[in-house]
Every structure is written in structure tokens, then in C-alpha cells.
Amino acid sequence: SVCVHKDYRNQGLMQQMLNYANKLLREQNCDMAFLSGKYERYHHFLYESSNQCYYVSYSASRNINPDIHFCKMEDGNNEYVDYSLTLYEQSELYIKRTKKDFIDNCIQWCKEGYFILHQSHIIGYLVYFPLENEIEEIKVEDKKQLKGIITTFMAYKQLDKIKRKILNSDYDKENTSNKMIYNKNNKLFQIIHLEKVISVFLNYRLSHEILKEGSLGIKVIAYGTFTIEVYEGKAIVSNKSKHFDL
């Protein structure tokens, strides 16, 4: 994120620094940029929230299942990893990962990964982030077991309260009486080379259907003017303007 000493604020330094950083990113041919900070502060510089979501709050309960146990991912076996990876890949959108990458992603950045066991049989996994006291991810085959598993996990960790993150894409699938709080995550991203992104989407579409051949000019606010050419089953996108300062 960008920080300016209080004695030098309101002089446009943040704008200068971000414009200079974006200039370097483009010169180095980077496609995307990421930073952490408040959405409201960086939205003007074309940064968008990478993970808009809801949070569901849970309180301690006597609804504890004695047959549910938790095993740290570092102590699990291949059967646990294989099953959890299969659950992970059932998501509508996911990043293809090896077993090692999957485990590393669940326990990096001070996170704790757990396999969920029912009478010693693997039934799912969850990722807990202690610094925010939140369940960042939880996957089980039977969604009806979620609440019982979460309250049992709270007893396991001796927690009075906990929150669970729900991505926007999963909101409609939720069936919970708990109150949901909407949140724009502070993990932000900006597309540097929009023409590459447009090209990827168009060529993906061309792999499924036929688009009319020809050229089209479009103007995207703050990004510039682009020319799109479709010819012989391929799409070529070029940026015709190079002014990006905001």
C-alpha cells in the first residue's frame, strides 16, 4: 500500500507515486498489479477488490459433535490430501494445484489448515486465519453438516465467536439463518494491459463460436482506445493510446 508522512499529505504525492509505479509496471510488461489497502482509497487508481465477499458470524454453542475431529494438514496422509483436493476442484472456479501447492496455500501467511474427520474418515477440510479469527475456506460434501462442524471447531479451538468468509459466487447457494455482513476485501488488483485481457476472452469465445470478421474501435475510460480485429478465427487487440496517468 502507499503511505505518506502526515507532514506531506494533501500534496498529490500518493497520485505521483502510483502513477510512477504503474509506469514501471507497464515498462516491465506486467499484466496485473496487486496491493493491500482500503478499496475506497485506491478505486480511483483503477484498483478493484479481488475478493468481494460476505461474512457469517457464529457464536459458541452446545451443538458439538463428539464424532468430529480435526487433523492439522501437516500431520495428514495422502488419502486426506487426495480427498480434500477433489473437494477443492469441485468449485466452479479454481486454480489447478499439485498436492504440495494445495497444502502450502492452506497454511501460508499464518493460516492453519485442518482435515475434518468423522470417526477417523475424512469428510472435508477447512482453512482458519487466527489473526482475523475467521474460517477462510471450508469444504465438505454434505453442506448440512457445516454449522455443526463449525461449532465443534470453535470448541476445539476454545473460541466464543468466529466468522466464516463466503465469496459472492457462493452467496446464492448458502442456506443459513445467520446474519451475513457484506465486505469489500482489502486485497486489490489492477489490470495493467487491458488489451491482453480482452484478447484472451475473445479468443476463448472464438474457440466455442464463430464471430463476424472485421474491426472495431472501442474506448475504455482511463484505459485508452483499442482496436479489435477478428480475422480467420483469431482476435487481435491493440492499444492505440498510451496516456494512463490518473
Side-chain angles (χ1 to χ4, degrees):
S1 60
V2 179
C3 298
V4 179
H5 191 280
K6 62 181 181 179
D7 294 342
Y8 297 92
R9 291 172 185 167
N10 301 315
Q11 298 180 34
L13 295 178
M14 175 181 174
Q15 180 173 343
Q16 292 178 43
M17 285 191 285
L18 282 172
N19 281 335
Y20 180 68
N22 285 347
K23 178 176 178 291
L24 292 180
L25 288 167
R26 291 187 181 89
E27 289 175 352
Q28 295 174 18
N29 207 31
C30 294
D31 295 330
M32 298 186 74
F34 298 85
L35 59 73
S36 295
K38 291 183 178 180
Y39 168 81
E40 295 77 11
R41 188 179 186 194
Y42 295 100
H43 179 61
H44 172 69
F45 297 95
L46 305 181
Y47 280 92
E48 295 291 338
S49 178
S50 63
N51 205 8
Q52 298 178 31
C53 62
Y54 289 82
Y55 282 109
V56 182
S57 297
Y58 296 84
S59 298
S61 168
R62 294 180 180 177
N63 182 25
I64 297 171
N65 189 336
D67 293 328
I68 295 292
H69 304 281
F70 302 94
C71 169
K72 284 193 172 184
M73 286 191 171
E74 300 94 309
D75 303 326
N77 57 38
N78 278 332
E79 178 193 353
Y80 296 172
V81 179
D82 289 340
Y83 183 86
S84 298
L85 193 56
T86 300
L87 281 180
Y88 165 76
E89 291 179 347
Q90 288 176 4
S91 303
E92 291 183 3
L93 184 65
Y94 67 92
I95 299 172
K96 189 71 177 176
R97 292 193 170 108
T98 64
K99 293 181 185 180
K100 182 179 183 304
D101 290 339
F102 171 73
I103 298 297
D104 288 346
N105 185 67
C106 290
I107 63 177
Q108 67 179 354
W109 303 112
C110 302
K111 294 186 292 188
E112 299 175 3
Y114 294 91
F115 296 116
I116 305 168
L117 309 177
H118 181 266
Q119 295 180 344
S120 76
H121 297 290
I122 178 75
I123 62 170
Y125 72 93
L126 69 81
V127 179
Y128 175 62
F129 189 34
L131 295 178
E132 296 290 340
N133 190 31
E134 75 176 44
I135 295 175
E136 193 169 277
E137 184 180 356
I138 181 169
K139 297 282 187 183
V140 289
E141 198 76 54
D142 185 0
K143 298 290 180 64
K144 294 179 181 178
Q145 295 181 306
L146 272 178
K147 190 170 183 178
I149 290 171
I150 291 171
T151 52
T152 304
F153 180 73
M154 292 171 67
Y156 170 74
K157 296 291 290 185
Q158 298 182 329
L159 301 170
D160 293 325
K161 291 185 177 182
I162 199 170
K163 58 185 178 181
R164 175 170 68 97
K165 180 189 292 185
I166 300 174
L167 299 181
N168 275 10
S169 56
D170 296 326
Y171 174 74
D172 293 335
K173 304 171 190 174
E174 282 297 318
N175 182 18
T176 177
S177 58
N178 297 61
K179 184 179 180 181
M180 291 192 188
I181 301 173
Y182 183 66
N183 175 69
K184 278 184 179 287
N185 204 289
N186 64 353
K187 297 175 182 176
L188 310 175
F189 77 96
Q190 178 194 177
I191 297 173
I192 304 295
H193 288 114
L194 187 60
E195 63 269 31
K196 289 188 179 180
V197 176
I198 297 173
S199 177
V200 168
F201 277 105
L202 284 177
N203 281 293
Y204 175 77
R205 186 173 175 183
L206 280 164
S207 67
H208 291 77
E209 61 181 290
I210 298 174
L211 296 181
K212 185 177 179 180
E213 292 190 355
S215 62
L216 175 69
I218 61 171
K219 184 175 183 179
V220 182
I221 294 175
Y223 278 102
T225 303
F226 301 87
T227 297
I228 301 173
E229 296 178 274
V230 177
Y231 181 67
E232 293 185 348
K234 293 183 180 179
I236 300 173
V237 183
S238 54
N239 188 350
K240 298 301 181 182
S241 61
K242 298 297 181 182
H243 182 70
F244 290 94
D245 286 353
L246 303 176

